[in-house]
């Protein structure tokens, strides 16, 4: 790794053990590493946070939140795959992003969104692949000062989109995912 190597955090907005979005973001992470990025894949299931509450934040002592804050402070990009729930992105993703948008009470953490370049992706069993949720994440991340790259991908028919090793079965879709992660790497170099 060099100083110019982008460090990306990759995660899915799903807690499900057999999540297709976890598979998708793992594909993205592999492609990003192959294109020179350092990537840390995290599973939000390992970072359980209560529903955000301004009263609770004054007293919450959460090692998971401390760890997430450290990780996010060290990153300059995010790869996010979110399920589409009722036409938007998942509540666990929103909750995690909300917690990380707040400074730590002891000033040990300031929200790091302004330093992020973000790549968005989704997969769902339906034909649209969860694309409706992506416009909502794009708006949220842009509001927080992140640079969301123009490319994005939504993979339909998730139940047949991955092979038995969890790789995207469709080579053209994998190429589109690679173009997306390359854009994240390129844009993060100039942000
Ligand atoms: C509450 C809920 C709402 C959903 N709404 C949508 C939807 O609007 N569009 C869609 O394509 N799929 C929808 N689904 C199906 C999810 O896309 C599907 O469960 C998907 O596999 C979840 O992602 P995961 O495999 O990464 O956990 C919904 C599922 C749940 C549980």
């Amino acid at each position: 790794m060099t100083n110019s190597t982008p460090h990306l955090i990759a995660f899915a907005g799903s807690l499900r053990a057999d999540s297709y979005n976890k598979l998708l973001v793992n594909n993205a992470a592999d492609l990003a590493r192959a294109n020179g990025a350092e990537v840390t894949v995290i599973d939000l299931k390992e970072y359980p946070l209560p529903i955000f509450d301004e009263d609770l934040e004054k007293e919450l002592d959460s090692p998971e939140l401390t760890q997430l804050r450290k990780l996010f402070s060290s990153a300059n990009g995010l790869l996010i795959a979110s399920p589409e729930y009722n036409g938007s992105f998942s509540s666990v993703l929103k909750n995690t992003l909300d917690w990380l948008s707040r400074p730590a009470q002891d000033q040990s953490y300031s929200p790091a969104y302004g330093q992020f370049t973000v790549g968005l992706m989704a997969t769902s069993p339906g034909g649209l692949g969860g694309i409706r949720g992506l416009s909502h994440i794009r708006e949220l991340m842009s509001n927080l000062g992140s640079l969301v790259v123009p490319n994005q991908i939504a993979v339909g028919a998730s139940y047949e989109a991955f092979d038995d090793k969890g790789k995207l079965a469709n080579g053209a879709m994998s190429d589109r995912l690679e173009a997306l992660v390359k854009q994240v790497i390129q844009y993060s170099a100039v942000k």
Side-chain angles (χ1 to χ4, degrees):
M1 189 177 95
T2 68
N3 281 343
S4 60
T5 305
H7 177 211
L8 310 179
I9 311 282
F11 56 97
S14 172
L15 302 178
R16 219 163 63 81
D18 294 330
S19 161
Y20 293 113
N21 283 281
K22 288 183 187 175
L23 294 182
L24 184 60
V25 90
N26 278 328
N27 277 257
D30 288 345
L31 290 166
R33 289 191 190 103
N35 281 278
E38 181 201 351
V39 186
T40 305
V41 179
I42 62 171
D43 183 343
L44 294 186
K45 185 106 176 173
E46 291 170 14
Y47 298 90
L49 299 173
I51 294 290
F52 182 80
D53 173 343
E54 277 194 74
D55 291 333
L56 186 57
E57 79 174 323
K58 297 187 180 77
E59 61 201 42
L60 183 72
D61 182 12
S62 161
E64 291 87 2
L65 181 57
T66 302
Q67 180 61 22
L68 271 183
R69 284 171 167 161
K70 270 192 201 146
L71 267 173
F72 271 58
S73 298
S74 73
N76 48 356
L78 305 177
L79 299 173
I80 304 176
S82 182
E84 181 176 281
Y85 285 170
N86 301 316
S88 189
F89 58 90
S90 66
S91 50
V92 67
L93 176 57
K94 178 71 163 64
N95 194 49
T96 303
L97 294 173
D98 283 346
W99 272 107
L100 290 165
S101 71
R102 303 284 288 175
Q105 297 285 306
D106 63 3
Q107 307 304 318
S108 60
Y109 167 80
S110 302
Y113 292 103
Q115 71 200 35
F116 293 152
T117 304
V118 180
L120 300 178
M121 64 209 79
T123 183
S124 92
L128 296 179
I131 199 167
R132 293 178 301 171
L134 294 186
S135 58
H136 296 182
I137 313 175
R138 180 174 293 277
E139 187 175 1
L140 182 154
M141 297 308 298
S142 300
N143 286 339
L144 291 170
S146 298
L147 174 65
V148 186
V149 302
N151 283 7
Q152 62 183 22
I153 72 162
V155 182
S158 49
Y159 48 86
E160 60 183 15
F162 301 91
D163 67 19
D164 55 5
K165 293 192 171 67
K167 294 288 172 201
L168 271 172
N170 180 324
M173 191 58 85
S174 188
D175 289 347
R176 286 184 53 203
L177 183 58
E178 183 162 30
L180 165 61
V181 301
K182 278 182 170 171
Q183 215 170 45
V184 173
I185 291 168
Q186 281 160 5
Y187 283 45
S188 68
V190 293
K191 182 158 168 70

